């Protein structure tokens, strides 16, 4: 099937039998518990499943491989810190089924390309290192030594180390990440793209410039003290379910919540806490005091309009709105900012936000009276051309209110992968700061390269034009997660060698270079025993707490390695007689932590402090109101222009979003329960008026064209689903629609693909 499609890296077109119901108005509750139990029973089995849940996110247990939302610092009741999607994440990781060499013997790569993403993942845990044999188009078992020799000889024969690319996904532990970047820099390149480049890179860029730290400033406790929490461009009910408890705490302490999202996501409206049986029968907690259905990328205009109204109020009564003392002592650039704000045309802003003026007035009223504000955001803000501006405009709001560096207030970029923030701290970054490189030099006695490396988009382009020849991925699913699938697919196939360090089979293993390896590793839940005994690793959550994570179940196979061991053995093979004793580091992870302590600020007495099972906070200048790390030495106001939306007739904006049954490219199931869309992923959510204008009915089959500059990209056969989405906006699921995200369409400054802003037209599919 789909002969021409499947070699382009896109999932095959298979329809699974859609059914629809009304979108849900609350998140969690009994359906969430039932759904978790179903997954655990099916994928892991009851006994092991219960053992897993008991240990997940508990003090001394292992860190949930799902999202990066933090756990409470102190009390954690049995089973209390799991959520439905955490249960799915762990069931998916510790699967009963195994993708053994016998499995690969049965299926050629060409055959596997016909499998859906869900089917690939459900083939089970990888058990042996595998090497692709071009003669029979199958992956075959190899020894670890052979695999390492192949990689080492390819790396050592490159004319320039910058011809190799080393991707990282955000599940990698601190220990593995630190070793990996050390290996890569010792080799001589900063080509360390990571999933962050597609995720919160825009947040990092925006916050570093304005507040002098690329991370958020709040702690979990701040939610108990906030007068107002704004949740913008984020779907916590699905992607960070444990965040709903924090929002509930805000409400119970008398705080207000504003949600800004094109979609009325269930978790934004109301929440029934699975840990509170009384909630199950009642209404639960109403979360949003105000829900604003912003147009896709209407946020900058919307926030500016709110600030405009607040400034008008301030002019009437000085000091009622702005925190003048904070502005005077802590910030820079206020005059420029306020002059620019006063010049704005309010009606233009209202118009560009796509929101009724009345709602903006209500939002301004809610913001007006408050001085302790937390702003949370995720991909709905970061994956736009003007993503950095979006976030900096939010910073402007916080600065006007003096709402940062104090209890109950601050920035909360809600991170995705469970250790994506830690990986950055460990140096997984194509643009490492000089201070970090100098420390590496001092501690390890070599000259790390200073030239910046490739980020994700640049890496794809480099492989496409054959400047890069070796691609190695520590986790992740590069083909399906990156933009412009057809282009990226051609890029990967250009490589001489592609290597994937993975737990499960995915499409990136099937769209490969001239030589290809799959190297299986331990997951979070598994016991990691090395020469010096049982090991644990460490991770950093969304709020900068570093803590240990220790697996407890027997490894899925005796032939798999831990990530740290894999990197050490590869390094030892690549650099013979190296000054770094890689094999000793592998035997005892506390030695790796000593090296981290020597290089990375904030990790003093690392091994000692991590003995506290709740972990420790890393230093955070914004949290304590110290902005001396910015260029001006103060927190910076910034001014941003709202570009008017220019669409041609029939063009719509499209965002690519996650369903309730997936973890990025890992598809747990086919239901998007909260949105009432069951058993199908190939859908496009549309406003009824846009359907009428295009002569479309519910469940019509359409092709979607993406228009960027003069380029045209098309995907075929999506089912139209009428949905409460603002007119002119539409939504599809990631990764099915990634072929529509142009490689050239990226955010200013962060170079993040604009996965939430794709200009499309739809047309009825013509049966050929
Ligand atoms: N279960 C589960 N958990 C996950 C993940 C997962 O796939 N599954 N992924 C993890 C990762 S890596 C990440 S980064 C996070 C992602 O977490 P989210 O950012 O919540 O994920 P998305 O599905 O991309 O949803 C973006 C939300 O932004 C809204 N949105 C889109 N465009 C706009 C816009 O222009 N303006 C506004 N205001 N809103 C907009 C969408 O309607 C949607 O509700 O979750 C993490 N946690
Ligand atoms: N269109 C569109 N594209 C997007 C997004 C979007 O919203 N829209 N979101 C972007 C975002 S926010 C992100 S973060 C990226 C995600 O990009 P990635 O991180 O590259 O993708 P994942 O789907 O999370 O990776 C899943 C694979 O990781 C492997 N894996 C799982 N656990 C482990 C482990 O413990 N160790 C190792 N070594 N491997 C493991 C498994 O083999 C699994 O198949 O996608 C981005 N792409
Ligand atoms: Mo992410």
């Amino acid at each position: 099937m789909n002969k021409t499609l499947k070699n382009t890296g896109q999932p095959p077109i298979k329809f699974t039998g859609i059914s629809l119901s009304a979108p849900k108005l609350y998140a969690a509750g009994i359906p969430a518990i039932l759904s978790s139990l179903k997954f655990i029973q099916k994928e892991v089995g009851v006994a092991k499943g219960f053992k897993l849940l008991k240990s997940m996110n508990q003090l001394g247990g292992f860190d949930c491989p799902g999202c990066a939302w933090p756990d409470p610092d102190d009390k954690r009741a049995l089973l209390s810190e799991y959520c439905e999607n955490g249960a799915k994440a762990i069931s998916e990781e510790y699967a009963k089924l195994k993708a053994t060499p016998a499995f690969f013997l049965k299926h050629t790569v060409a055959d596997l390309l016909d499998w859906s993403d869900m089917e690939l993942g459900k083939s089970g845990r990888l058990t042996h290192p595998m090497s692709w044999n071009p003669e029979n188009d199958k992956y075959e078992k190899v020894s670890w030594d052979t695999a390492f020799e192949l990689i080492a000889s390819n790396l050592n024969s490159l004319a320039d180390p910058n011809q190799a690319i080393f991707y990282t996904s955000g599940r990698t532990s601190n220990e593995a990440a630190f070793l990996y970047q050390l290996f890569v820099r010792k080799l001589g390149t900063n080509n360390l793209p990571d999933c962050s480049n597609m995720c919160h890179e825009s947040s990092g860029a925006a916050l570093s410039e304005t507040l002098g730290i690329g991370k958020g400033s709040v702690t979990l406790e701040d939610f108990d003290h906030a007068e107002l929490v704004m949740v913008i461009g984020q779907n916590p009910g699905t992607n960070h379910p444990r965040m709903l408890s924090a929002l509930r705490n805000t409400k119970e302490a008398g705080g207000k919540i504003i949600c800004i999202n094109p979609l009325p996501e269930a978790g934004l409206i109301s929440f029934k806490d699975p840990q509170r049986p009384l909630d199950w029968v009642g209404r639960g907690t109403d979360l949003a005091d105000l829900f604003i259905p912003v147009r896709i990328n209407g946020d900058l205009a919307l926030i500016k309009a709110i600030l405009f109204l607040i400034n008008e109020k301030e002019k009437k009564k000085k000091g009622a709105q702005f925190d003048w003392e904070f502005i005077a002592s802590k910030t820079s650039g206020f005059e420029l900012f306020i002059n620019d704000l006063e010049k704005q045309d309010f009606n233009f802003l209202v118009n560009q936000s796509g929101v009724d003026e009345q709602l903006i007035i209500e939002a301004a009223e809610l913001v007006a009276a408050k001085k302790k504000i937390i702003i949370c955001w995720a991909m709905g803000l970061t994956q736009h051309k003007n993503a950095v501006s979006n976030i900096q405009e939010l910073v402007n709001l916080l600065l006007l209110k003096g709402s940062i560096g104090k209890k109950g207030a601050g920035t909360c970029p809600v991170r995705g992968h469970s250790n994506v923030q830690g990986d950055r701290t460990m140096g997984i970054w194509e643009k490492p700061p000089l201070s970090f490189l100098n420390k590496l030099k001092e501690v390890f006695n070599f000259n790390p390269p200073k030239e910046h490396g490739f980020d994700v988009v640049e890496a794809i382009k480099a492989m496409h034009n054959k400047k890069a020849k070796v691609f190695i991925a520590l986790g992740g699913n590069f083909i399906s997660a990156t933009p412009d699938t057809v282009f990226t697919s051609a890029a990967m196939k250009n490589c001489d060698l592609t290597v994937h360090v993975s737990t499960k089979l995915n499409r990136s293993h099937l769209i490969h270079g001239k030589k290809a390896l799959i190297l299986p590793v331990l997951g979070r839940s598994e016991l990691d025993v090395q020469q010096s005994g049982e090991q644990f690793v460490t991770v950093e959550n969304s709020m900068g707490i570093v803590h240990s994570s220790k697996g407890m179940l027997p490894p899925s196979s005796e032939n798999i390695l831990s990530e740290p061991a894999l990197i050490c053995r590869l390094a030892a093979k690549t650099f013979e007689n190296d000054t770094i004793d890689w094999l000793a580091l592998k035997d005892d992870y506390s030695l790796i932590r000593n090296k981290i302590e020597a290089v990375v600020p904030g990790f003093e007495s690392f091994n000692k402090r991590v003995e506290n099972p709740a972990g420790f906070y890393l230093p955070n200048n914004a949290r304590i109101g110290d902005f001396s790390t910015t260029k001006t030495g103060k927190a910076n106001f910034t001014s941003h222009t709202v570009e008017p939306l220019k669409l041609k007739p029939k063009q719509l904006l499209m965002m690519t979003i996650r369903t309730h049954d997936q973890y990025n490219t890992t598809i747990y199931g086919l239901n998007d329960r909260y949105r009432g869309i069951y058993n199908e992923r190939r859908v496009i959510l549309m406003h009824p008026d846009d359907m009428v204008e295009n002569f479309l009915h519910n469940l019509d089959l359409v092709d979607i064209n993406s228009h960027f500059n003069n380029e045209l990209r098309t995907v075929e056969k999506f089912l139209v689903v009428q949905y409460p989405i603002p007119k002119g906006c539409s939504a599809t699921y990631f990764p099915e629609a990634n072929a529509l995200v142009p490689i050239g369409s990226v955010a200013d400054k962060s170079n993040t693909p604009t996965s939430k802003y794709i200009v499309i037209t739809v047309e009825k599919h013509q049966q050929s």
Side-chain angles (χ1 to χ4, degrees), residues 167 169 171 417 477 481 501 504 506 563 656 665 738 756:
Y167 176 69
S169 165
R171 270 194 196 175
H417 266 301
N477 182 358
V501 177
K504 287 230 163 155
N506 67 44
E563 288 186 353
T656 53
T665 69
N738 279 36
K756 298 285 186 276

Side-chain angles (χ1 to χ4, degrees), residues 93 167 169-172 195-196 198-199 379 383 417 474-478 480-482 501-506 509 521-524 563 656-658 663-666 734 738 741 755-756:
E93 175 179 302
Y167 176 69
S169 165
R171 270 194 196 175
T172 295
C195 64
S196 239
M198 301 178 272
C199 187
M379 298 304 102
Q383 299 174 333
H417 266 301
L474 188 59
N477 182 358
F478 196 81
S480 304
T482 51
V501 177
S502 310
T503 48
K504 287 230 163 155
L505 182 62
N506 67 44
H509 306 134
V521 281
L522 292 174
R524 285 273 170 83
E563 288 186 353
T656 53
I657 53 176
R658 294 156 168 79
Y663 192 92
N664 299 341
T665 69
T666 298
F734 144 56
N738 279 36
V741 187
S755 306
K756 298 285 186 276

Side-chain angles (χ1 to χ4, degrees), residues 194-213:
D194 69 346
C195 64
S196 239
N197 296 147
M198 301 178 272
C199 187
H200 268 294
E201 194 70 59
S202 308
S203 308
L207 296 174
S208 307
E209 272 182 10
T210 50
L211 301 174
I213 181 167

Side-chain angles (χ1 to χ4, degrees), residues 458-489:
E458 290 159 349
I460 296 169
K461 288 182 179 165
M463 290 188 278
H464 202 270
N465 65 25
K466 302 190 179 167
K467 268 197 198 148
K469 298 173 191 299
V470 175
F471 174 87
I472 299 181
L474 188 59
N477 182 358
F478 196 81
I479 273 291
S480 304
T482 51
D484 221 340
T485 318
V486 181
F487 184 88
T488 304
S489 178

Side-chain angles (χ1 to χ4, degrees), residues 360-371:
I360 299 179
I361 293 171
E362 281 177 41
E365 288 300 327
L366 274 173
V367 177
K370 313 294 187 302
K371 292 268 166 75

Side-chain angles (χ1 to χ4, degrees), residues 235 239 261 265 297 299 379 384 655 658 662 664 756:
N235 180 17
N239 297 315
N261 197 307
E265 308 281 27
N297 204 27
D299 305 84
M379 298 304 102
H384 289 288
M655 55 183 177
R658 294 156 168 79
Q662 74 184 83
N664 299 341
K756 298 285 186 276

